[in-house]
């Protein structure tokens, strides 16, 4: 079993990649749509059941999008015999990183990000000025942050079929058996006596 975390900033195409993986017959779940993540009040630690939209100024300073470890642990158990993809992003990702066998980070440039957030119809996040400002702030940090953790970085500004091919190739490379190097021969030691 390989559990793959497909992540990236808002607007990088995580949900689109998830849908394309499903169409190709893979087990792919959307962390947002399939109930793996939720809004939490950082100060109180409580779940926000009915977040405001659009978010008022400063709301994102107190509230965060968090992934639920128990849900990911259940996915690990359910996916023991196959590869599964969980696509999403959460500020508390460090709480679940140990559950994934591979992390793939989708990255895009700022112009592509602005365009995608302004025109997407599947998710309204990023269309409000407060959310757009947050997404633009996070975008340049994503690549460096994930590269430093050894994630596979994929340019998601390419056509979706190429992006999905790259995600699948990353899994194949991660699952490829590594050749075992033969032990170097050591010269027979002579007794110095």
């Amino acid at each position: 079993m390989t559990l793959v975390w497909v992540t990236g900033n808002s607007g990088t195409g995580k949900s689109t990649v998830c849908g394309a993986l499903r169409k190709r017959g893979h087990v792919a779940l959307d962390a947002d749509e399939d109930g793996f993540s939720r809004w939490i009040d950082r100060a109180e630690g409580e779940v926000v059941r009915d977040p405001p939209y659009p978010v008022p100024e400063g709301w994102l300073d107190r509230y965060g999008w968090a992934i639920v470890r128990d849900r990911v642990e259940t996915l690990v158990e359910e996916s023991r015999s196959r590869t599964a993809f969980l696509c999403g992003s959460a500020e508390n990702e460090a709480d679940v990183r140990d559950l994934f066998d591979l992390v793939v980070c989708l990255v895009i440039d700022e112009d592509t990000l602005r365009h995608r957030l302004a025109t997407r119809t599947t998710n309204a996040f990023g269309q409000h000025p407060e959310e757009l400002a947050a997404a633009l702030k996070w975008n340049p940090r994503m690549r460096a942050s994930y590269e430093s953790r050894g994630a596979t970085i994929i340019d998601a500004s390419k056509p979706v079929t190429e992006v999905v091919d790259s995600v699948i190739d990353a899994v194949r490379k991660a699952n490829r058996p590594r050749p075992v190097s033969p032990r170097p021969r050591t010269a027979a030691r002579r007794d110095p006596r």
Side-chain angles (χ1 to χ4, degrees), residues 80-167:
R80 285 183 181 264
S81 62
R82 60 187 176 197
T83 296
F85 299 86
L86 182 59
C87 306
S89 182
E91 68 180 48
N92 68 327
E93 179 189 311
D95 296 345
V96 296
R97 198 173 297 127
D98 63 301
L99 300 174
F100 294 97
D101 301 295
L102 176 66
V103 176
V104 173
C105 180
L106 306 178
V107 297
I108 56 175
D109 61 88
E110 185 176 308
D111 289 340
T112 303
L113 175 65
R114 283 180 182 277
H115 175 75
R116 285 187 183 175
L117 292 179
T119 60
R120 71 178 174 181
T121 57
T122 57
N123 181 339
F125 188 86
Q127 294 179 352
H128 184 268
E130 180 94 357
E131 297 165 346
L132 176 61
L136 290 170
K137 178 179 145 186
W138 298 329
N139 196 48
R141 300 175 184 174
M142 295 297 280
R143 181 182 196 120
S145 174
Y146 282 94
E147 276 181 332
S148 71
R149 294 185 201 128
T152 299
I153 307 298
I154 294 175
D155 178 358
S157 63
K158 295 180 179 179
V160 70
T161 53
E162 289 181 37
V163 175
V164 173
D165 288 344
S166 295
V167 170

Side-chain angles (χ1 to χ4, degrees), residues 4-5 11 18 37 40-41 48 50 55 59 63 69-70 75 79 87 110 112 115 122 140 155 168-169 175:
V4 184
W5 178 235
C18 184
S37 301
I40 57 159
D41 180 332
V48 178
D50 192 23
V55 298
W59 195 84
Y63 300 94
R69 183 175 174 93
D70 291 349
L75 179 59
S79 304
C87 306
E110 185 176 308
T112 303
H115 175 75
T122 57
D155 178 358
I168 293 168
D169 286 345
N175 288 336

